[in-house]
Amino acid sequence: MGENIDVADTMEDVPVVTLRDLVVFPKTTVYFEVGRESTVRALKEAMNSKQLVFTVAQKDPAVENPGIDDLFETGTLAEVKQIVNMPGKIIRVVIVGKERMKLKFLETKDGYLSGTLESLPETGDTSYTLEMVALVRGIRDLFQIYANENGRFNHKLIDEILKITDLDTLVYQICSNIPVSYQVKQKILSEDSVIDRHEQLSVVLSREIGIMRIQEDISKRVKEQVGSNQKEYYLREQMKAIHKELGDEDSENDADKYIESLKKLKASKKVKKKIKDEIRRFKLTSSSSSENAVIRGYIETLLDIPWKKESNSNTDVVHASGVLDKDHYGLKNVKERVLECIAVRAIKKDGQSPVICLAGPPGTGKTSVAKSVAKAMDRKYVRICLGGVRDEAEIRGHRRTYVGAMPGRIVTALRSAKVKNPVMLLDEIDKLGSDYKGDPSSALLEVLDSEQNKHFRDHYVELPVDLSKVMFICTANTTDTIPKPLLDRMEVIELPGYTSNEKFHIAKEHLLEKQKIANGLTKNQLNISDRAVKIIIENYTREAGVRNLERKIAQICRKAAMEAAKDADCRIRVSERNIRKFLGTEKYTIDMANTEPDTGIVRGLAWTGSGGDTLEVEVNVMKGTGKLELTGKLGDVMQESAKIALSYVRSVASENLPDKYFEEHDVHLHVPEGAVPKDGPSAGITMATAIYSAVTGQKVRADVAMTGELTLRGRILPVGGLKEKILAAKTAGIKLVFVPAKNKKDIDDIEKEILDGINVKYTQHAEEVFKEVLVQ
């Protein structure tokens, strides 16, 4: 290792060589190259003096001009043995480590670093003892195992290291030759005790041995896998050749495409395994066999289902409100519920999607609302029409054992949407049928149950499909025909008919512009006055929705388009004066209230599928045998109401009538428009008032209308359809309306514009009505 050099406890002005990624140990010879100017000068200065340098590692190799804080405190005093100039201003250096020392002070001197060093005393007992012998043997054995596992050490070097008997020298030689990071080596160098250095090195060697063994295991497995893959590749190439000879090359190509699609598919391991198994079966079948087509269809279905793919919902409540208001006028309850759902989703991302059922008459915008909801939430929209569906397989799909089997409509809709969280409209859910093939409404119980639909099983797919992210919106004209268990799973929102004012706004803000665009008219070519729009609503349509209103506006636009085709510069104005030219004679007239009080004639209020209506109940009393004659195509419930009304009147009016009056007189009750079927209990108070007026001869006020179910004791029970009934009364010019007292909560929900000009009185008993409406 060279001649001995006396080292003082403190040394000054020692040239410092800073090293990157390298640690020099005492009693070792190290070869390295340097190119940094300060390092080159330090080495040359050493060669001109005592040939001693202090080698110390940098904490961060990237630092170009390190200071004392950028260097480790412990380094090695070394003797420079040789310097060789290389091309490119690089010097190759050979040094021999002498002793561990501590850097106390660092300065720059004549372009190189110079430092003050302090020797580091060796702690612990380093004398030759049995313990030291044991430590030497232990580290030798460990290094032997390490060298064997590594397989890259020179055997001559191994032999030289194993011959060393001094523990300190052995530790330094092993540390200098093993390929570990400079931080690990620096940690060993910094230990003041040879025992501690031995312990640190033992830990490092043991860890490296473990890592190399793991690497070897991994390498073996990889080689086995590569061998297996090569074998599989060879066999597949043979199979391709066989398929090509048999004419089944298309199946093989399709199988490769399916495998590529499977790699890109986001799905669970269970789903991917199922698809992989089916692809394997597909490869083994001939392209001419029927089973090949069945498997092909099944694989394509599974690959098309969005197992884990979903779109990002827009949870901006202000944006959603703007979209809903732009697309639809009114519908306050529906909009509020949708905005509530969006607000909850903005706060709780994994919340359950609601199942909403929009119930109302035709043409009130139920289907178009679902489209607007999807637009407001930036979700995909799919529609499933359930009208007339009678087979349970339409919902759950057919089992694959059947010829021509296919998935149900729910899975088909998901495939169409390509995401697992669309807005799915189940249209006309009240018109589901059932027969010997099953009950589709029962199959929908699982689909619409948020606790069950996370694992919906389609008979065709045979794997659980997650429907929990789907927002279901159902539509129905009535909830009466929907089975109770199914109805219980839905949140029903009633969409009553539009008022005349709402229809006017819808026509002006939506329908007119829509039809102008549909018929190629510009904004200036056609103008319909407000009064003309109101006449169309009142005299040309009679409906709860706006479909016929849109048809009438479309009819006007078509006639205007004819004029525009003749003269592109024409300007057409439709007003109340010329509206007949476009729509013909008026179809409907409003049955206005009578002008004078009359006997036996009372105006009732009715709810119809197209909105509210008023109907007169007429009663005549004549000599007879006490019969009750009912005409006007009355239903069973309405006939029973008429009998109850007569029984009540007999019980309260007998005192003011001659004896045996009812036994000697017949009562004939008629409701006009005899061809129109009528039913329901809400005309009970109306019929009782008409009968009481007819038998007592007292007249009934002409500006009064009423509704309510009557009991035998004269109590008036609540009824439905109040909004439509009040609107019909207002249209007919009625000033006073009697409603059951228990319907007050329903009246409170009616818009103020409908109640303006009408006096609503609440009543609990028929006698209260008689006192108010009967005049002498």
Side-chain angles (χ1 to χ4, degrees):
M1 295 290 179
E3 56 191 65
N4 294 328
I5 296 175
D6 294 329
V7 178
D9 291 342
T10 302
M11 298 179 67
E12 297 181 352
D13 297 331
V14 179
V16 176
V17 174
T18 57
L19 302 174
R20 292 170 169 158
D21 299 325
L22 179 63
V23 176
V24 176
F25 288 90
K27 304 177 184 179
T28 61
T29 302
V30 181
Y31 302 81
F32 61 91
E33 294 177 350
V34 297
R36 195 157 36 182
E37 183 65 25
S38 60
T39 306
V40 171
R41 289 192 178 188
L43 289 167
K44 288 182 178 179
E45 175 63 26
M47 292 300 289
N48 294 330
S49 58
K50 298 179 181 179
Q51 295 185 317
L52 293 177
V53 293
F54 179 67
T55 60
V56 62
Q58 292 182 199
K59 294 177 181 177
D60 183 1
V63 177
E64 187 65 30
N65 298 306
I68 194 166
D69 293 333
D70 300 315
L71 304 173
F72 288 105
E73 192 176 41
T74 304
T76 302
L77 183 67
E79 181 182 0
V80 182
K81 289 295 184 180
Q82 186 181 21
I83 293 179
V84 180
N85 291 319
M86 303 291 291
K89 297 183 181 180
I90 295 175
I91 293 178
R92 179 173 292 169
V93 185
V94 180
I95 65 173
V96 177
K98 293 299 180 182
E99 185 175 335
R100 296 185 315 115
M101 298 200 79
K102 183 177 182 182
L103 180 63
K104 299 296 289 181
F105 178 74
L106 184 70
E107 63 177 341
T108 303
K109 186 176 181 182
D110 297 331
Y112 66 91
L113 296 175
S114 176
T116 300
L117 311 178
E118 184 181 280
S119 64
L120 292 171
E122 185 71 31
T123 61
D125 184 11
T126 59
S127 61
Y128 186 81
T129 61
L130 291 176
E131 182 183 358
M132 297 299 283
V133 173
L135 292 176
V136 169
R137 289 182 181 178
I139 201 70
R140 277 179 185 168
D141 293 341
L142 206 53
F143 176 70
Q144 181 76 59
I145 296 170
Y146 172 82
N148 293 336
E149 291 288 344
N150 187 284
R152 298 176 185 176
F153 276 91
N154 186 298
H155 290 291
K156 187 176 179 181
L157 175 63
I158 296 172
D159 292 340
E160 288 181 3
I161 291 174
L162 294 177
K163 288 177 183 177
I164 299 171
T165 57
D166 178 58
L167 179 61
D168 210 15
T169 305
L170 182 60
V171 169
Y172 288 145
Q173 285 293 336
I174 293 174
C175 286
S176 183
N177 286 283
I178 61 174
V180 294
S181 68
Y182 73 95
Q183 292 98 333
V184 174
K185 292 184 177 182
Q186 180 66 40
K187 187 176 180 183
I188 295 173
L189 181 65
S190 299
E191 295 291 346
D192 291 334
S193 168
V194 66
I195 306 298
D196 294 337
R197 290 195 289 276
H198 169 275
E199 184 178 333
Q200 290 283 347
L201 179 58
S202 299
V203 171
V204 171
L205 289 176
S206 298
R207 185 179 71 241
E208 291 297 317
I209 290 168
I211 292 172
M212 286 188 290
R213 285 175 175 171
I214 293 171
Q215 286 178 327
E216 187 178 359
D217 289 343
I218 293 172
S219 178
K220 285 181 180 178
R221 288 201 298 270
V222 169
K223 286 180 180 178
E224 289 174 0
Q225 186 66 36
V226 169
S228 174
N229 289 343
Q230 288 176 339
K231 180 181 178 182
E232 185 178 348
Y233 174 76
Y234 175 71
L235 292 174
R236 287 193 183 282
E237 288 300 315
Q238 283 190 324
M239 286 179 65
K240 282 183 181 179
I242 295 169
H243 281 296
K244 190 172 182 179
E245 290 296 322
L246 293 173
D248 294 340
E249 192 173 3
D250 291 341
S251 294
E252 190 67 26
N253 293 338
D254 288 341
D256 292 338
K257 292 177 184 177
Y258 295 151
I259 290 171
E260 288 299 317
S261 299
L262 179 59
K263 290 177 182 176
K264 300 175 185 177
L265 184 67
K266 293 181 179 179
S268 65
K269 291 181 180 179
K270 183 178 180 181
V271 172
K272 288 192 171 185
K273 184 179 181 301
K274 179 71 172 176
I275 298 174
K276 194 173 181 180
D277 292 343
E278 291 298 323
I279 293 174
R280 191 178 294 112
R281 285 183 59 206
F282 177 72
K283 285 182 177 181
L284 298 175
T285 58
S286 171
S287 60
S288 59
S289 68
S290 59
E291 187 182 6
N292 182 277
V294 172
I295 299 173
R296 180 193 299 271
Y298 183 60
I299 293 171
E300 290 176 354
T301 299
L302 295 186
L303 290 173
D304 285 345
I305 295 174
W307 300 99
K308 289 187 177 181
K309 183 181 177 183
E310 57 182 290
S311 58
N312 294 323
S313 298
N314 190 335
T315 54
D316 186 347
V317 177
V318 176
H319 165 76
S321 178
V323 171
L324 293 173
D325 289 338
K326 181 181 178 182
D327 291 350
H328 291 85
Y329 180 86
L331 304 180
K332 179 182 176 183
N333 291 341
V334 181
K335 291 177 181 178
E336 278 186 0
R337 182 63 188 90
V338 171
L339 293 177
E340 287 169 5
C341 171
I342 295 174
V344 170
R345 187 55 57 89
I347 299 170
K348 186 175 174 59
K349 301 295 182 184
D350 58 346
Q352 290 181 340
S353 295
V355 179
I356 298 172
C357 179
L358 306 177
T364 50
K366 299 183 294 296
T367 303
S368 59
V369 161
K371 284 185 181 179
S372 293
V373 170
K375 182 179 174 184
M377 299 179 73
D378 285 347
R379 286 199 189 184
K380 296 285 187 179
Y381 167 79
V382 284
R383 174 178 173 268
I384 301 174
C385 184
L386 298 176
V389 173
R390 308 176 66 85
D391 188 357
E392 179 240 4
E394 292 278 353
I395 307 298
R396 286 189 178 276
H398 304 83
R399 299 191 185 279
R400 283 198 294 148
T401 51
Y402 297 112
V403 176
M406 60 177 60
R409 294 196 181 195
I410 303 295
V411 171
T412 303
L414 278 182
R415 288 178 66 189
S416 174
K418 294 183 172 59
V419 289
K420 64 182 290 189
N421 63 334
V423 172
M424 190 175 292
L425 176 68
L426 303 180
D427 214 1
E428 311 292 355
I429 197 170
D430 58 323
K431 297 172 182 63
L432 281 171
S434 62
D435 59 12
Y436 66 92
K437 295 179 181 178
D439 183 3
S441 63
S442 298
L444 281 174
L445 292 176
E446 181 184 3
V447 174
L448 299 182
D449 191 333
S450 57
E451 299 297 328
Q452 300 179 38
N453 62 10
K454 192 170 184 178
H455 303 286
F456 170 70
R457 280 191 176 270
D458 185 280
H459 290 157
Y460 181 83
V461 175
E462 297 178 346
L463 289 167
V465 179
D466 184 6
L467 301 179
S468 62
K469 301 290 185 181
V470 179
M471 183 175 184
F472 289 101
I473 299 180
C474 310
T475 68
N477 295 128
T478 175
T479 57
D480 296 341
T481 56
I482 301 176
K484 294 299 179 185
L486 183 59
L487 189 63
D488 183 58
R489 283 162 168 77
M490 302 184 288
E491 181 178 345
V492 179
I493 300 177
E494 297 285 347
L495 270 72
Y498 292 116
T499 65
S500 296
N501 185 58
E502 288 173 334
K503 290 180 182 179
F504 173 77
H505 284 288
I506 292 170
K508 293 292 286 185
E509 297 173 16
H510 298 279
L511 302 183
L512 185 55
E513 192 64 30
K514 177 183 174 183
Q515 289 302 322
K516 279 184 180 180
I517 295 171
N519 290 279
L521 296 172
T522 64
K523 186 177 181 180
N524 297 326
Q525 285 179 323
L526 176 64
N527 181 33
I528 303 178
S529 69
D530 292 352
R531 180 59 190 152
V533 173
K534 291 179 180 177
I535 290 174
I536 297 172
I537 294 169
E538 294 171 1
N539 300 113
Y540 286 91
T541 63
R542 181 153 296 182
E543 57 178 344
V546 291
R547 282 207 183 110
N548 283 328
L549 175 59
E550 184 174 6
R551 292 189 185 105
K552 295 300 178 185
I553 293 174
Q555 185 178 339
I556 293 174
C557 289
R558 288 194 298 272
K559 292 187 182 296
M562 287 180 61
E563 298 295 327
K566 298 174 185 176
D567 180 9
D569 297 326
C570 70
R571 294 194 174 188
I572 301 165
R573 176 175 172 79
V574 180
S575 65
E576 58 181 320
R577 295 181 181 178
N578 64 350
I579 194 168
R580 289 192 177 188
K581 175 184 173 183
F582 294 89
L583 298 180
T585 57
E586 297 174 351
K587 286 190 174 183
Y588 304 100
T589 55
I590 299 173
D591 190 9
M592 299 301 292
N594 297 335
T595 54
E596 298 292 334
D598 205 344
T599 304
I601 297 178
V602 181
R603 185 68 64 104
L605 299 174
W607 181 91
T608 68
S610 59
D613 201 359
T614 63
L615 68 148
E616 286 189 338
V617 175
E618 301 176 344
V619 175
N620 272 351
V621 180
M622 62 220 71
K623 292 285 186 179
T625 58
K627 291 190 301 181
L628 173 64
E629 189 73 30
L630 301 174
T631 55
K633 206 169 185 181
L634 309 184
D636 293 341
V637 176
M638 199 165 183
Q639 291 184 31
E640 290 177 358
S641 294
K643 294 174 184 177
I644 291 169
L646 178 59
S647 297
Y648 172 72
V649 171
R650 290 181 67 175
S651 68
V652 298
S654 297
E655 298 177 359
N656 302 323
L657 298 173
D659 294 340
K660 298 184 179 181
Y661 177 86
F662 287 101
E663 287 83 355
E664 296 172 354
H665 291 81
D666 290 343
V667 177
H668 185 166
L669 186 148
H670 175 66
V671 182
E673 297 186 31
V676 180
K678 309 167 191 72
D679 205 357
S682 64
I685 182 61
T686 310
M687 292 187 286
T689 305
I691 295 172
Y692 191 89
S693 168
V695 298
T696 60
Q698 293 177 285
K699 294 182 178 181
V700 181
R701 287 172 56 180
D703 61 346
V704 170
M706 59 191 71
T707 183
E709 180 180 351
L710 185 71
T711 70
L712 275 174
R713 299 301 178 94
R715 289 185 297 113
I716 301 176
L717 304 182
V719 293
L722 264 296
K723 178 180 177 180
E724 291 82 358
K725 291 177 179 179
I726 296 292
L727 184 61
K730 183 177 182 178
T731 305
I734 301 295
K735 301 299 181 184
L736 176 62
V737 176
F738 285 92
V739 299
K742 291 185 178 179
N743 278 119
K744 187 177 186 305
K745 63 181 185 302
D746 301 307
I747 299 295
D748 292 340
D749 290 336
I750 297 176
E751 292 86 346
K752 187 175 181 298
E753 65 166 305
I754 298 177
L755 298 175
D756 285 345
I758 287 189
N759 181 16
V760 178
K761 284 199 173 183
Y762 304 102
T763 179
Q764 294 180 326
H765 203 275
E767 290 184 355
E768 299 172 10
V769 179
F770 296 164
K771 290 177 183 178
E772 290 279 349
V773 304
L774 296 175
V775 295
Q776 296 295 334

